[in-house]
């Protein structure tokens, strides 16, 4: 004890003590207050050590001060400031299940106004431990149990400590990036950044990013907006008279098929269809399907797809728009338009944690009224895989929320089971389906989870029919992006009846096709359209089917059914596809044959014009989003979305309250059904449904490695 007392009475000892104490406090927060998800051994080790680096760096600044009347106050100031940051995050996390961004702290964020008066109610008994050490240290200093050490360390030694900290930070980032590629580049979830790099590094990184965003936005002007508007106006495609309004007033049910590519449609393996139900939909007379529809996502993958579909603008060239700009951007998105123009209620059903892709914040700016995330479902034990609740359970367990929504509604189901690494418990596997034997487990397993997804859609459709929702709805089904990455396409070649030896970039580009189907029960003009289009085109197409004009909005896509639709599909990489030519990395292929083409002078001109169009489209979309230009534009009749109007807790209670208030005027399925639930109409063969949950009802995030 004495020895220890003597040690902490030296400057190095005092410094070491503070480092260890702060480390312990951070671990306290990690284990009791934050939910960083399940961890593998490696992840656990990274999390355990990650508070050290930044703590050493910060506190070592004190070591540069020679006089003890500066050394002690400075080092304590950093210590207290870091504790404040940690503690604010603890409190904030209790309220929002998220970490504080710089924008939130400075009050710049529109989504979360930061901590409110009620935050005090969020304190806990064990919070004492975040502060107790400071009081004890000060007292020990006061009573000379810790003595001031007059001997300064010397700049060399101080610098050595700082260097150790910086080295440790570098190592931390390296190991983190290795275990979680593109952790910082994609920033898909703040929780992951804290889990791997700690609160300080997260805050520092966020500060850099917000500075960048801030400077981009500051210089923005209205005339830049006008430039964008001029471009989108000049591309506007007028609706197709035959189809305009054919789904007017109907519920809209959007089903996001995770990682689902077009080649799965009508695909047979060992004589068996992989997705028999989706195939039957694809060929149905009430389905308006597309065979040359491409995804257009970048690094933001699912979130980019969501943005493309619901705002008709592109994601960013780097990172995810949802994650980087979603907290503050002005959106004029599908939920807001439908609510304001046609009185729709709006909801998302998704079995992953709300913070993933920053959805908990972005959805408020999109004007989603309800977000039923993992916390609304029992995701325990075998009920979920890497990215959350299994699809069959998502559809089944959402009925209790869906039936209380006022109609018409616009709802989105984001599935997850068909996600890399395509894992499925054996009890969920259909024993009568045998998959490929390519030797590439990703490819082989992909067909198994796609088959499972097909079955879950089939069960959901059976419920829609039984409950009567089917006839009153338009169902939009789309694949968000590739599931098999380019590096694995060669293993896929034989399954597609091609040879891996002659595989080209063109083949990779063609595989970026994903399904798009509009199912409008009761109509019979449906067919498979061969029009070329991309995800950015969905919103104007859908709005026109609902009889809602789009001319007033800034949208980069155009109605796929319109005769004026330009069939130029821009990829985020600036490659592109038209019915005639495909451009990949500057090489031009014939879209029909896949052969490279020698261009005549005239052809060269038209190819250059396509490239110019694609560049312009992407540049203007980026400028719109990066500079937040929509804040300068309010379309006719549009009320700006106020994120603080939205809150996603107690969703069901809110639905019921509205039902009660509307009384006999309530249009929810539940009310229409004589105030009886329709959950009993749902039948699923999901084996998990009868298991009682044993472990805690927390989402199991088991190292869901990204596959790009
Ligand atoms: C996570 C899910 C997957 O919630 O949407 O996102 P992805 O990895 O496909 O972008
Ligand atoms: Mn996805």
């Amino acid at each position: 004890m004495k020895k220890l007392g003597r040690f902490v009475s030296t400057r190095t000892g005092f410094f070491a003590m503070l480092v260890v104490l702060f480390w312990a406090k951070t671990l306290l927060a990690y284990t009791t207050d934050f939910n960083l998800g399940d961890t593998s051994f490696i992840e656990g080790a990274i999390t355990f050590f990650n508070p050290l680096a930044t703590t050493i760096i910060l506190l070592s600044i004190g070591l540069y001060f020679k006089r003890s009347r500066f050394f002690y106050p400075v080092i304590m100031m950093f210590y207290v400031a870091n504790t404040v940051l940690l503690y604010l995050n603890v409190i904030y996390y209790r309220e929002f299940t998220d970490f504080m961004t710089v924008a939130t702290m400075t009050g710049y964020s529109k989504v979360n106004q930061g901590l409110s008066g009620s935050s005090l109610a969020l304190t806990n008994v064990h919070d004492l431990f975040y502060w107790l050490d400071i009081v004890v240290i000060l007292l020990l200093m006061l009573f000379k149990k810790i003595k001031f050490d007059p001997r300064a360390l010397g700049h060399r030694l101080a610098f050595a400590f700082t260097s150790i900290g910086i080295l440790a930070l570098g190592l931390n980032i390296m190991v983190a990036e290795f275990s979680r590629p593109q952790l910082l580049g994609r920033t898909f979830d703040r929780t992951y950044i804290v889990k791997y790099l700690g609160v300080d590094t997260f805050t520092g990184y966020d500060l850099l990013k917000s500075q960048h965003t801030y400077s981009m936005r500051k210089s923005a002007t209205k005339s830049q907006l006008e430039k964008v508007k001029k471009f989108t106006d000049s591309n506007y495609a007028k609706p197709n008279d035959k189809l305009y309004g054919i789904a007017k007033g109907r519920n809209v049910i959007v089903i996001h098929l995770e990682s689902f590519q077009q080649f799965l449609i009508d695909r047979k393996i060992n004589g068996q269809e992989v997705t028999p139900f989706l195939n039957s939909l694809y060929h149905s007379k009430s389905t308006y399907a597309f065979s040359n529809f491409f995804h257009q996502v970048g690094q933001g993958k699912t979130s980019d797809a969501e943005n493309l579909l619901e705002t008709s603008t592109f994601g960013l060239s780097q990172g995810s728009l949802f994650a980087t700009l979603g907290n503050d951007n002005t959106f004029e998105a599908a939920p807001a338009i439908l609510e304001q123009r046609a009185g729709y209620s709006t909801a998302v059903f998704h079995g992953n944690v709300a913070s993933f892709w920053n959805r908990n914040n972005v959805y408020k700016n999109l004007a989603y009224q309800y977000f039923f995330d993992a916390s609304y479902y029992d995701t325990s034990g075998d009920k979920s895989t890497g990215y959350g609740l299994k699809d069959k359970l998502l559809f089944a367990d959402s009925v209790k929320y869906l039936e209380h929504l006022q109609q018409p509604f616009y709802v989105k189901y984001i599935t997850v089971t068909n996600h890399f690494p395509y894992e499925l418990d054996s009890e969920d596997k259909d024993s009568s389906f045998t998959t490929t034997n390519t030797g590439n487990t990703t490819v082989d397993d992909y067909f198994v989870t796609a088959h499972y997804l097909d079955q879950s859609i089939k069960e959901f459709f059976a419920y829609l029919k039984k409950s009567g929702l089917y006839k009153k709805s338009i169902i939009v089904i789309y694949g968000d992006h590739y599931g098999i990455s380019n590096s694995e396409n060669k293993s896929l070649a034989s399954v597609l009846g091609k040879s891996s030896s002659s595989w080209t970039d063109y083949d990779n580009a063609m595989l970026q096709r994903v399904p798009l189907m509009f199912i409008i029960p009761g109509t019979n003009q449906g067919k498979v359209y061969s029009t070329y289009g991309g995800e950015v085109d969905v919103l104007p197409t859908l709005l026109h089917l609902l009889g809602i004009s789009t001319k007033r909005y800034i949208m980069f896509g155009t109605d796929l059914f319109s005769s004026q639709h330009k069939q130029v599909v821009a990829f985020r990489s600036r490659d592109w596809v038209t019915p005639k030519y495909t451009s990949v990395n500057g090489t031009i292929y014939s879209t029909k044959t896949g052969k490279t083409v020698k261009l005549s002078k005239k052809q060269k001109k038209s190819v250059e014009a396509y490239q110019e169009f694609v560049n312009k489209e992407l540049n203007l979309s980026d400028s719109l989003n990066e500079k937040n230009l929509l804040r300068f534009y309010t379309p006719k009749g549009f009320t700006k979305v106020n994120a603080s109007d939205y809150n996603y807790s107690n969703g069901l209670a809110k639905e019921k309250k509205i039902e009660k208030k509307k009384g006999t005027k309530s249009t929810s399925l539940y009310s229409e059904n004589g105030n009886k639930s329709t959950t009993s109409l749902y039948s699923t063969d999901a084996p998990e449904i009868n298991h009682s949950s044993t472990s805690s009802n927390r989402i199991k995030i088991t190292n869901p490695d990204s596959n790009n």
Side-chain angles (χ1 to χ4, degrees):
M1 201 59 198
K2 264 214 167 122
K3 248 189 177 169
L4 194 71
R6 237 179 288 142
F7 180 58
V8 298
S9 293
T10 66
R11 288 200 187 185
T12 318
F14 192 73
F15 166 77
M17 172 186 74
L18 293 187
V19 169
V20 170
L21 282 174
F22 196 78
W23 187 15
K25 286 203 284 196
T26 314
L27 293 181
L28 173 72
Y30 283 179
T31 47
T32 59
D33 293 303
F34 303 151
N35 176 14
L36 300 179
D38 275 4
T39 42
S40 65
F41 177 75
I42 297 267
E43 287 174 320
I46 300 175
T47 310
F48 182 74
F49 287 112
N50 76 28
L52 271 174
T54 48
T55 310
I56 293 176
I57 297 173
L58 280 177
L59 297 182
S60 75
I61 297 174
L63 298 175
Y64 292 89
F65 290 86
K66 288 237 153 60
R67 295 203 198 156
S68 60
R69 65 182 157 109
F70 292 124
F71 167 75
Y72 287 97
V74 168
I75 197 165
M76 279 311 282
M77 192 189 75
F78 277 108
Y79 189 73
V80 173
N82 217 11
T83 303
V84 170
L85 178 69
L86 179 68
Y87 189 66
L88 282 179
N89 271 292
V90 165
I91 298 274
Y92 189 80
Y93 193 89
R94 285 181 194 147
E95 188 162 345
F96 299 105
T97 332
D98 201 352
F99 296 93
M100 275 186 112
T101 61
V102 175
T104 320
M105 279 185 246
T106 52
Y108 181 68
S109 171
K110 283 194 288 173
V111 181
N112 290 318
Q113 305 300 321
L115 296 166
S116 55
S118 63
S119 308
L120 266 187
L122 295 166
T123 50
N124 221 314
V125 185
H126 78 252
D127 290 2
L128 205 66
F129 291 108
Y130 290 110
W131 301 104
L132 194 64
D133 59 326
I134 298 178
V135 179
V136 172
I137 291 170
L138 291 177
L139 283 176
L140 287 174
M141 280 156 84
L142 193 73
F143 292 108
K144 303 258 158 72
K145 294 287 175 209
I146 294 178
K147 297 193 192 71
F148 294 126
D149 184 357
R151 295 161 302 159
L153 233 47
H155 280 184
R156 265 224 183 139
L157 201 54
F159 186 65
F161 279 114
T162 313
S163 307
I164 290 172
I166 291 173
L167 216 73
L169 182 64
L171 196 73
N172 183 191
I173 293 176
M174 237 169 65
V175 177
E177 281 283 333
F178 184 72
S179 151
R180 220 21 175 124
Q182 295 186 310
L183 177 70
L184 291 176
R186 292 176 81 211
T187 36
F188 41 86
D189 194 340
R190 285 189 261 280
T191 312
Y192 279 84
I193 301 192
V194 171
K195 177 173 171 172
Y196 285 97
L197 301 172
V199 177
D200 290 342
T201 312
F202 159 68
T203 309
Y205 180 66
D206 189 61
L207 182 73
L208 289 180
K209 271 195 340 190
S210 52
Q211 209 95 45
H212 176 70
T213 312
Y214 178 75
S215 63
M216 252 180 338
R217 294 186 173 183
K218 214 174 64 183
S219 59
T221 61
K222 221 180 152 177
S223 69
Q224 291 168 324
L225 180 270
E226 272 145 23
K227 227 165 123 188
V228 178
K229 178 116 194 349
K230 209 171 131 200
F231 176 80
T232 56
D233 279 351
S234 71
N235 287 315
Y236 172 78
K238 68 171 189 352
N240 176 323
D241 289 339
K242 284 212 184 81
L243 295 173
Y244 189 81
I246 62 163
K248 196 179 176 112
R250 291 195 189 215
N251 297 317
V252 182
I253 301 173
V254 180
I255 303 177
H256 172 113
L257 302 178
E258 180 55 45
S259 302
F260 199 99
Q261 292 174 248
Q262 177 71 13
F263 71 76
L264 288 165
I265 297 291
D266 287 343
R267 176 76 37 209
K268 276 188 177 170
I269 288 171
N270 303 318
Q272 246 178 320
E273 290 177 80
V274 182
T275 58
F277 184 70
L278 286 165
N279 297 347
S280 72
L281 287 179
Y282 187 65
H283 296 290
S284 150
K285 276 266 161 279
S286 31
T287 300
Y288 304 73
F290 290 85
S291 57
N292 290 309
F293 178 76
F294 293 78
H295 83 77
Q296 297 172 295
V297 310
Q299 290 176 326
K301 299 196 70 188
T302 293
S303 64
D304 280 358
E306 291 183 65
N307 177 66
L308 280 150
L309 263 102
E310 292 182 312
T311 73
S312 194
T313 71
F314 290 86
L316 302 176
S317 60
Q318 251 185 353
S320 150
L321 184 135
F322 267 29
T324 34
L325 304 174
N327 275 33
D328 303 287
N329 254 22
T330 308
F331 294 98
E332 284 151 16
I337 295 172
L338 287 171
E339 180 193 342
Q340 295 184 16
R341 298 269 304 265
Y344 276 74
S345 33
T346 55
V348 179
F349 303 100
H350 182 48
N352 197 358
V353 288
S355 58
F356 206 96
W357 286 133
N358 199 23
R359 290 182 175 107
N360 50 341
N361 295 317
V362 183
Y363 284 170
K364 294 176 182 171
N365 282 328
L366 299 182
Y368 266 114
Q369 296 161 349
Y370 301 92
F371 178 19
F372 297 98
D373 71 307
S375 67
Y376 281 90
Y377 307 94
D378 176 4
T379 59
S380 64
D382 56 6
K383 293 191 175 65
S384 53
T385 48
Y387 283 84
L389 189 66
K390 288 174 182 167
D391 297 341
K392 280 186 185 170
L393 302 175
L394 171 76
F395 287 111
D397 294 349
S398 294
V399 168
K400 56 178 179 282
Y401 307 121
L402 179 72
E403 66 182 6
H404 288 289
L405 259 185
Q406 296 297 309
Q407 301 181 73
F409 52 66
Y410 170 83
V411 295
K412 172 162 75 167
Y413 287 81
I414 306 174
T415 63
V416 294
T417 311
N418 187 47
H419 192 295
F420 181 82
Y422 311 111
E423 276 169 345
L424 199 56
D425 295 324
S426 55
E427 55 178 11
D428 293 301
K429 288 184 186 164
D430 175 359
S431 55
S432 67
F433 177 75
T434 33
T435 186
T436 50
N437 191 6
T438 63
N440 178 323
T441 42
T442 303
V443 172
D444 295 342
D445 291 347
Y446 180 60
F447 292 106
V448 178
T449 46
H451 183 69
Y452 171 89
L453 174 53
D454 183 69
Q455 291 180 325
S456 47
I457 307 286
K458 184 180 178 181
E459 292 178 352
F460 183 52
F461 268 69
Y463 163 79
L464 291 178
K465 284 184 183 158
K466 273 196 207 158
S467 65
L469 281 176
Y470 185 64
K471 289 194 299 266
K472 295 159 63 184
S473 304
I474 167 173
I475 302 136
V476 185
I477 297 185
Y478 74 98
D480 64 343
H481 50 73
Y482 62 88
I484 306 298
S485 57
N486 285 350
S487 58
E488 273 158 332
N489 279 345
K490 283 191 177 169
S491 310
L492 195 64
S494 65
V495 185
L496 306 180
K498 298 209 165 200
S499 133
S500 60
S501 57
S502 55
W503 194 265
T504 63
D505 282 351
Y506 160 84
D507 295 307
N508 285 336
M510 293 301 109
L511 277 193
Q512 306 315 308
R513 285 186 175 88
V514 289
L516 173 67
M517 310 184 208
F518 297 96
I519 298 139
I520 314 176
T523 69
N524 57 7
Q525 305 293 306
K527 62 173 187 174
V528 178
Y529 289 76
S530 56
T531 313
Y532 280 68
E535 290 173 328
V536 76
D537 298 315
V538 173
L539 183 56
T541 311
L542 173 65
L543 289 176
H544 287 170
L545 290 173
L546 296 172
I548 294 172
S549 56
T550 61
K551 195 151 193 201
R552 66 186 76 170
Y553 303 113
I554 291 185
M555 291 180 179
F556 285 86
T558 56
D559 185 342
L560 291 163
F561 297 116
S562 166
S563 56
Q564 295 175 336
H565 168 72
K566 263 203 196 103
Q567 301 188 68
V568 187
V569 187
F571 291 141
R572 189 54 261 198
S573 59
R574 291 174 191 268
D575 293 337
W576 48 264
V577 180
T578 70
K580 216 165 172 186
Y581 303 114
T582 294
S583 168
V584 186
N585 292 330
T587 307
I588 309 295
Y589 301 87
S590 151
T591 301
K592 292 241 154 55
T593 66
K595 298 227 159 66
T596 48
V597 276
K598 265 227 155 326
L599 299 170
S600 69
K601 253 206 180 131
K602 206 173 130 215
Q603 287 171 318
K604 207 168 166 212
K605 269 233 158 90
S606 71
V607 162
E608 276 166 8
Y610 285 137
Q611 186 66 61
E612 209 170 295
F613 175 79
V614 165
N615 290 348
K616 194 161 182 197
E617 187 177 28
L618 290 168
N619 290 347
L620 288 172
S621 172
D622 288 348
S623 138
L624 180 84
N625 282 319
E626 283 170 352
K627 297 176 184 156
N628 192 17
L629 297 180
L630 277 182
R631 72 193 137 131
F632 299 126
Y633 181 64
T634 312
K636 193 175 102 212
F638 190 85
T639 313
K640 282 229 146 97
V641 176
N642 184 1
S644 56
D645 292 346
Y646 302 89
N647 178 333
Y648 297 134
S649 47
N650 306 317
L652 183 59
K654 281 175 195 154
E655 289 179 321
K656 287 186 176 167
K657 207 171 146 196
I658 294 174
E659 243 169 17
K660 211 166 155 198
K661 205 173 128 206
K662 294 212 159 177
T664 53
K665 290 207 176 91
S666 165
T667 58
S668 72
L669 183 62
Y670 182 87
S671 303
E672 286 181 349
N673 196 39
N675 292 330
K676 275 204 316 274
S677 175
T678 62
T679 49
S680 62
L681 300 178
Y682 206 100
S683 80
T684 169
D685 64 8
E688 301 85 5
I689 209 107
N690 302 314
H691 292 185
S692 58
S693 62
T694 40
S695 51
S696 77
N697 187 11
R698 276 187 161 189
I699 190 101
K700 172 175 86 171
I701 298 175
T702 46
N703 192 26
D705 285 320
S706 111
N707 65 330
N708 57 50

